[in-house]
Amino acid sequence: MSKLDLVIRGGTVATASDTFSCDVGIRDGRIVALGDGLGSAERVIDAKGRLVLPGGIDSHVHVSQPSGPGIVMADDFESGTRSAAFGGNTTVMPFCVQEKGQSLRVALKDYHAKAEGNCHIDVSFHLVISDPTASVLGQELPALVDDGYTSFKVFMTYQDLALTDMQLLEVFSTARTTGALVMVHAENYDAIRFLTEQLERAGKTAPKFHATSRPIPVEREATHRAISLAELIDVPVMIVHVSNGEAMEQIRWAQSRGLKVYGETCPQYLVLTERDLDGLNMEGAKYVCSPPPRDEASQKACWNGLETGVFQVFSSDHCPFRYDDPAGKLVPKGRTSFRWVPNGIPGVETRLPILFSEGVVQGRISLNQFVALSSTNHARMYGLHPRKGTIAVGSDADIAIWDPTRTARIEARNLHQGADYTPYEGREITGWPVTTIVRGHIVVENGKLATGARKGEHLRRDRSPYAIRPATA
Ligand code: DUC
Ligand code: ZN
Ligand code: ZN
């Protein structure tokens, strides 16, 4: 065998199904050998006492996304993928948002231009459909699915994004015929508007009322409705960012009936609660995201959903805004009502340390479940497997080396993101990724971004094996 480019020696390798000790041999960006005492290489990394895991795949992040008048997202592709790399990720999947009246091709051209040459890790875009016109559904989407944009997100809330039930059915129908996977943001728009107006009339405008304006039934109802509409079309759906047990039980119920309904939850629903929104002055704005964090019973339910397989993926829903910034959480209008505070929190760098520490170290999930929830299932769900999401001969050499005993406190000043705060400030973590390798390139090592970075590429994806296979594909 000719010389390897890189050998990771003596670590404990874990995949979604197995844990074993061996060296990992890498050449030309791929894993080419797994075994003991692999031969010479240009570079050897000693991984004794370390875990060698498939690089994290975060299938739900927002970067460089238009966010409303005067508001700027805290991460562009450079800072977002840098932060992701330090958090042990090798691929992230951001959303290319169609504005009303805009062609999807134009939206994609603009979004690609922002990403080009700026990514430290690989990226692959989902589409957000806000204007499902006949030409979008009949012409653009089918061609784009063939081009490798095989998943799209629809919203049941937010002005400018919310689709009517009729439109949801039309998008679902297109997903069925094209073999795409639909992701659904499930919250009832009218219910939120009604509650928001009531709260504002009563002078209840502080950030904490963001949570009051979108209580659990708002999410439960929309989740159930999305599932029922998908059943009418016979199309699989992924319910994203599930925050509580009642919504989770709708998914479990659908799965028990044999429906292809999948679920995602996020760190904020495991470790934050509604009480975090009740900070002094505007501090609560740091935790404003949708759906909002709930209570301890909801946290327990979300853990249960991860442990029992109701949720296939654990994502960050990284949607970063700076706090101390009039273009971020402290936008002047936000002081007049929670309704104007930008929705979303940063978390791409802390997703995996939180899941490892709270999940694996605390004994809630196994190391193999951790790998599945953080990487393998994302690759499978969104058409990247087996190129991504596993450690196997032939797969891309996307690897995160973890020190499972390293303890650290999460502090914004130590993170590598664009936001100036983290909602997880002060949290003690055991287990941290120390080296991140993307297609054989070392991107993060010894707490530093390696030189010659920004080698991330956009990935064209296969159709999801979880979607309906169209007759012609
Ligand atoms: N939905 C998301 O998916 N992310 C952030 C905000 C939101 O409402
Ligand atoms: Zn959403
Ligand atoms: Zn999101």
Side-chain angles (χ1 to χ4, degrees), residues 186-441:
E187 287 186 298
N188 181 316
Y189 182 44
D190 283 340
I192 294 167
R193 280 202 311 164
F194 175 83
L195 293 171
T196 299
E197 281 169 22
Q198 274 198 332
L199 287 162
E200 286 181 345
R201 270 202 294 274
K204 296 180 173 176
T205 56
K208 68 175 177 182
F209 295 109
H210 169 78
T212 324
S213 74
R214 23 210 339 147
I216 286 173
V218 162
E219 185 183 344
R220 184 194 64 219
E221 183 278 331
T223 303
H224 185 89
R225 182 157 39 102
I227 289 169
S228 300
L229 298 180
E231 183 178 2
L232 292 179
I233 305 294
D234 186 22
V235 70
V237 280
M238 162 66 73
I239 310 293
V240 294
H241 46 49
V242 178
S243 72
N244 68 89
E246 293 186 24
M248 190 265 283
E249 289 301 340
Q250 307 305 304
I251 300 171
R252 198 202 295 275
W253 168 80
Q255 291 169 348
S256 74
R257 297 176 61 231
L259 298 178
K260 292 185 173 175
V261 175
Y262 308 108
E264 171 200 84
T265 192
C266 316
Q268 49 272 38
Y269 308 121
L270 300 183
V271 300
L272 300 179
T273 70
E274 187 177 340
R275 290 194 304 281
D276 288 304
L277 278 89
D278 194 8
L280 277 181
N281 300 318
M282 290 297 287
E283 283 281 318
K286 290 180 176 174
Y287 303 87
V288 166
C289 61
S290 296
R294 309 289 186 183
D295 56 11
E296 281 78 9
S298 301
Q299 293 179 340
K300 242 177 129 192
C302 288
W303 275 114
N304 182 263
L306 289 172
E307 289 156 20
T308 59
V310 176
F311 299 136
Q312 292 69 40
V313 288
F314 181 73
S315 309
S316 67
D317 196 2
H318 178 76
C319 186
F321 300 96
R322 287 173 52 78
Y323 173 66
D324 194 9
D325 192 329
K329 292 285 188 180
L330 295 187
V331 62
K333 252 177 124 181
R335 293 183 191 274
T336 68
S337 169
F338 59 84
R339 141 184 355 220
W340 304 112
V341 174
N343 270 231
I345 58 177
V348 74
E349 193 167 342
T350 46
R351 169 185 75 125
L352 297 184
I354 289 172
L355 185 66
F356 189 90
S357 192
E358 292 293 325
V360 181
V361 177
Q362 296 296 323
R364 292 179 169 114
I365 56 172
S366 70
L367 179 59
N368 308 103
Q369 277 176 301
F370 173 82
V371 172
L373 290 164
S374 64
S375 178
T376 315
N377 291 355
H378 300 252
R380 288 196 175 125
M381 188 62 66
Y382 295 108
L384 288 170
H385 193 265
R387 177 176 172 196
K388 304 286 190 187
T390 192
I391 294 184
V393 170
S395 294
D396 280 0
D398 289 354
I399 291 172
I401 303 177
W402 283 66
D403 180 345
T405 58
R406 177 166 163 202
T407 55
R409 189 186 299 249
I410 296 178
E411 291 179 286
R413 66 191 175 96
N414 294 329
L415 298 177
H416 304 82
Q417 54 177 14
D420 56 351
Y421 80 99
T422 165
Y424 308 107
E425 186 74 30
R427 229 162 256 278
E428 295 285 351
I429 297 290
T430 299
W432 207 274
V434 291
T435 303
T436 305
I437 299 167
V438 179
R439 284 179 285 100
H441 301 291

Side-chain angles (χ1 to χ4, degrees), residues 60-62 95 153 241 317-319:
H60 188 153
V61 307
H62 304 265
F95 293 85
K153 183 175 177 190
H241 46 49
D317 196 2
H318 178 76
C319 186

Side-chain angles (χ1 to χ4, degrees), residues 9 19 75 119 184 195 235 390 424:
R9 206 178 292 291
T19 306
D75 278 317
C119 297
V184 183
L195 293 171
V235 70
T390 192
Y424 308 107

